Amino acid sequence: ALGVAQMESLPNYIKSKRDLAIKYQNWGIDNEYTFVSESLNSQSNYWLNCVITNNKKNRDLMLKVTNESNIMTRPTWTPMHKLSMFQHCQRTDMKNTESLANRIVNVPSSPILIN
């Protein structure tokens, strides 16, 4: 019964998350920030919203200002090739991954919008 109830509310959660993503994207356009958005011919559930800053310094400043203002943000996860358990694994040049990891901020993504 719990699973059925959760499945029934899923479309509303996804709609709410997509609405939040649009608000973030519009704010980003007005403030010269880029938010991760869905690719053409796809439909994201926007379970996690992320902003891409220009550089690590701007990322760190955004993290400082938002967290000091009680807006809980965090840097993105550590790329897998940087984790000790995968240090020995074969990989190619990871400069794009490392560049993004140094610039992405995860922002609040609750499905319940508070205006």
Side-chain angles (χ1 to χ4, degrees):
L2 180 59
V4 170
Q6 289 176 332
M7 290 302 292
E8 288 173 352
S9 63
L10 185 60
N12 290 332
Y13 272 37
I14 291 174
K15 181 187 179 317
S16 182
K17 286 191 162 283
R18 291 182 62 78
D19 290 346
L20 178 60
I22 289 168
K23 287 183 178 190
Y24 276 135
Q25 290 167 14
N26 289 335
W27 180 89
I29 290 167
D30 293 342
N31 293 280
E32 299 181 10
Y33 283 99
T34 302
F35 280 82
V36 175
S37 60
E38 62 194 7
S39 302
L40 292 174
N41 301 317
S42 67
Q43 187 173 7
S44 175
N45 62 20
Y46 288 108
W47 210 255
L48 177 65
N49 287 287
C50 304
V51 61
I52 304 173
T53 62
N54 293 330
N55 54 51
K56 188 174 189 299
K57 182 179 177 182
N58 287 350
R59 180 203 70 179
D60 292 345
L61 178 60
M62 177 179 257
L63 290 167
K64 180 180 187 308
V65 169
T66 54
N67 283 291
E68 285 177 354
S69 300
N70 293 319
I71 301 169
M72 302 308 295
T73 59
R74 63 176 301 279
T76 194
W77 291 275
T78 302
M80 289 181 68
H81 74 281
K82 294 279 189 176
L83 300 175
S84 61
M85 67 187 99
F86 298 116
Q87 290 292 310
H88 68 282
C89 296
Q90 181 180 358
R91 63 178 176 267
T92 62
D93 177 20
M94 302 300 285
K95 67 181 177 183
N96 291 332
T97 299
E98 291 173 11
S99 173
L100 285 168
N102 286 328
R103 298 183 296 134
I104 291 177
V105 174
N106 295 340
V107 295
S109 299
S110 173
I112 301 169
L113 294 177
I114 300 171
N115 293 325

